[in-house]
Amino acid sequence: MYDVLVIGGGAAGFYAAIHIAEKRPNTKIAILERGKDVLTKVKISGGGRCNVTHAEFNPADLSKNYPRGEKELLGPFHTYASGDTVGFFEERGVSLKIEEDGRMFPVSNSSQTIIDCFISEADRLGVQVKTLCSVSGIEQIEEEGIKKWKVAVGEGFMYCNKLILATGSNPKMWKYLEALGHTIVPPVPSLFTFNIKDERITDIPGIVTLAEVNVIPKKNFGKKTARTKLDASGLSSDGPLLVTHWGMSGPAILKLSAWGARILEQYNYQFKIQVNWVPEYHQNGLLELFLKVKQVEKKTILRTKVLDIPKRLWANLVKASGIADTTTWPEVSKQQLQSLAEQLTMGVFQVNGKSTFKEEFVTAGGLDLKEINFKTYESKILPNLYFAGEIINVDAITGGFNFQNAWTGGYIAANGVVESLNVNQS
């Protein structure tokens, strides 16, 4: 009989178990992991460097990075946020650094530093870590008027007073929760890149530039399907845009995919975007600039890059505007310059499908947030059942925010468990 079983040997599961063991040293705790290795997502995150959190220390501003969960996380972030995460690791000898975009990584630049920290802490605090433990059922039982948990593992059963589910986006676990009376919001992909075949970008993979991207609402082109109930109006983002071999990626696209996860799924990932490659300009303002340049410049349009964008992108957009390589500024017509201004500020691209962002797959969906007490992360339906991490319907844009959700949930669930065990004991 365990005091606490944690199902899921990932970031949230380890964080919860460590905090319980630290606050209540004689608690019997085990982490159950279905795979042969723990913390696998931690290992691959941030290109193997582990983007631990983000240097956003204001709870209200931090919560704005969560397309699902913004309102619900505000309270928890006042209890435990990025600064607390930094403190946790530094107290254990793991220093973090802030990069220019606000992402935070271990100074070692290795996710193994984070993994070693968790494993050594679990070992020091007496937390049992059991790998190759695939859970095949969860049942709540009652003994002497107290609700407890019976967990089917392999050929046998394990029993506990408190159960924490930190299994991430696990359809099997969601089915178990549904059978127990919980509601699951159907999962759809988040954080994905856009597949685009277009002559303006096909030969320039690797180009990165600041851009503003807007999804063109479906009603504005093509047939509106009966399934399209969500409105894409106002669905936009900005930031670095990366041209890839298959289309577009980078923070501007990934943010858009997160905020638009449900809308774009309803569009079956077939939609159009409008890209402004020079966000500081609108079409008319850019045309005015070009007409001024036309007064003084004698060289070809192609060789005179008057804007701060990559040369190869400029060349492709000049060509797309119907301007020949040999056309000079004195020769170019106002209509051609208007076309170039439109390509630069209002270029429309057809998206046909998506690709997962590296191995860092994130889903929108999971346990309905209305069924969780966010002061303790305990189920409102089933006593002594707690949640942490992506199992709940919370997801974030890229940049360390999904991990911060795991740390915050793990910490608050641990507090909830400890308080409940102490009350029961007394």
Side-chain angles (χ1 to χ4, degrees):
M1 181 74 178
Y2 286 86
D3 294 306
V4 185
L5 285 176
V6 179
I7 303 179
F14 265 84
Y15 214 68
I18 287 167
H19 280 287
I20 294 167
E22 197 164 52
K23 291 172 186 291
R24 208 171 181 275
N26 296 318
T27 308
K28 190 176 180 185
I29 309 166
I31 296 173
L32 310 182
E33 167 56 44
R34 62 179 174 171
K36 61 181 176 58
D37 296 310
V38 293
L39 300 162
T40 52
K41 199 163 184 178
V42 171
K43 189 170 184 66
I44 62 173
S45 82
R49 295 195 298 146
C50 189
N51 184 183
V52 176
T53 187
H54 201 93
E56 178 50 79
F57 302 109
N58 179 293
D61 292 335
L62 179 60
S63 68
K64 288 173 182 168
N65 295 286
Y66 295 82
R68 268 67 51 184
E70 177 181 350
K71 177 169 63 79
E72 290 82 2
L73 288 175
L74 186 56
F77 283 155
H78 274 96
T79 300
Y80 198 93
S82 307
D84 302 293
T85 301
V86 173
F88 171 87
F89 286 108
E90 292 198 335
E91 283 165 18
R92 289 156 181 80
V94 178
S95 295
L96 304 181
K97 61 178 179 176
I98 304 172
E99 301 207 334
E100 277 186 27
D101 58 4
R103 294 182 302 162
M104 298 191 72
F105 294 88
V107 170
S108 66
N109 273 331
S110 172
S111 58
Q112 194 61 44
T113 305
I114 305 300
I115 294 169
D116 292 345
C117 171
F118 283 149
I119 290 174
S120 65
E121 280 294 278
D123 186 52
R124 177 179 73 82
L125 294 164
V127 175
Q128 298 176 31
V129 179
K130 299 176 178 290
T131 55
L132 297 173
C133 275
S134 184
V135 171
S136 55
I138 299 171
E139 181 186 350
Q140 192 163 54
I141 58 175
E142 193 167 319
E143 287 183 3
E144 300 174 7
I146 298 172
K147 303 275 190 185
K148 298 188 177 182
W149 290 96
K150 178 182 178 182
V151 180
V153 182
E155 300 296 313
F157 297 96
M158 297 176 76
Y159 298 85
C160 64
N161 293 311
K162 312 290 177 187
L163 181 63
I164 299 177
L165 298 185
T167 49
S169 304
N170 185 329
K172 187 172 78 169
M173 203 56 62
W174 284 331
K175 282 183 182 175
Y176 295 157
L177 284 172
E178 277 188 313
L180 290 165
H182 266 294
T183 305
I184 302 301
V185 178
V188 298
S190 182
L191 286 190
F192 49 84
T193 61
F194 294 174
N195 295 350
I196 299 169
K197 285 188 177 177
D198 192 291
E199 286 185 355
R200 290 168 289 178
I201 61 169
T202 48
D203 61 344
I204 54 170
I207 288 292
V208 181
T209 189
L210 289 175
E212 182 182 279
V213 187
N214 293 275
V215 172
I216 300 176
K218 202 78 165 179
K219 61 190 176 188
N220 289 358
F221 66 91
K223 291 182 180 178
K224 185 175 179 180
T225 65
R227 294 182 67 232
T228 307
K229 298 172 185 174
L230 297 170
D231 184 11
S233 298
L235 188 54
S236 67
S237 75
D238 54 35
L241 187 154
L242 168 67
V243 177
T244 69
H245 288 287
W246 57 88
M248 293 181 188
S249 182
I253 298 298
L254 295 170
K255 278 194 287 184
L256 202 59
S257 75
W259 287 103
R262 295 213 167 272
I263 296 169
L264 302 182
E265 188 268 342
Q266 287 201 349
Y267 287 175
N268 198 29
Y269 308 106
Q270 308 287 321
F271 56 96
K272 290 181 181 179
I273 57 172
Q274 190 176 71
V275 180
N276 184 346
W277 300 100
V278 280
E280 64 272 29
Y281 288 98
H282 53 76
Q283 186 181 2
N284 291 339
L286 196 53
L287 178 59
E288 284 179 25
L289 172 68
F290 288 159
L291 291 174
K292 287 176 184 175
V293 174
K294 180 177 166 64
Q295 304 287 325
V296 295
E297 185 57 68
K298 305 300 181 191
K299 290 189 290 190
T300 63
I301 313 286
L302 188 68
R303 291 180 59 193
T304 318
K305 184 171 72 76
V306 297
L307 299 165
D308 186 23
I309 64 169
K311 284 182 181 177
R312 290 190 292 160
L313 176 61
W314 169 263
N316 282 7
L317 296 180
V318 167
K319 182 180 177 182
S321 305
I323 300 171
D325 293 357
T326 55
T327 301
T328 63
W329 283 95
E331 294 169 341
V332 72
S333 69
K334 181 179 178 181
Q335 188 177 1
Q336 286 176 311
L337 289 179
Q338 195 161 3
S339 176
L340 179 57
E342 186 175 337
Q343 285 289 346
L344 282 156
T345 59
M346 302 173 63
V348 175
F349 293 82
Q350 174 68 47
V351 178
N352 291 307
K354 60 173 176 54
S355 297
T356 302
F357 176 51
K358 300 180 182 175
E359 299 93 347
E360 297 172 43
F361 186 68
V362 173
T363 55
L367 182 66
D368 194 319
L369 302 183
K370 294 193 291 288
E371 298 173 0
I372 303 164
N373 175 357
F374 278 93
K375 291 181 179 176
T376 58
Y377 276 67
E378 185 176 14
S379 165
K380 288 181 179 179
I381 294 172
L382 300 161
N384 303 325
L385 177 62
Y386 298 78
F387 309 99
E390 282 183 40
I391 188 170
I392 68 177
N393 183 26
V394 167
D395 64 287
I397 64 173
T398 184
F401 300 106
N402 282 300
F403 271 135
Q404 187 55 53
N405 171 50
W407 314 138
T408 296
Y411 176 84
I412 295 177
N415 277 0
V417 166
V418 168
E419 286 173 20
S420 183
L421 286 171
N422 288 341
V423 167
N424 292 348
Q425 197 173 46
S426 60

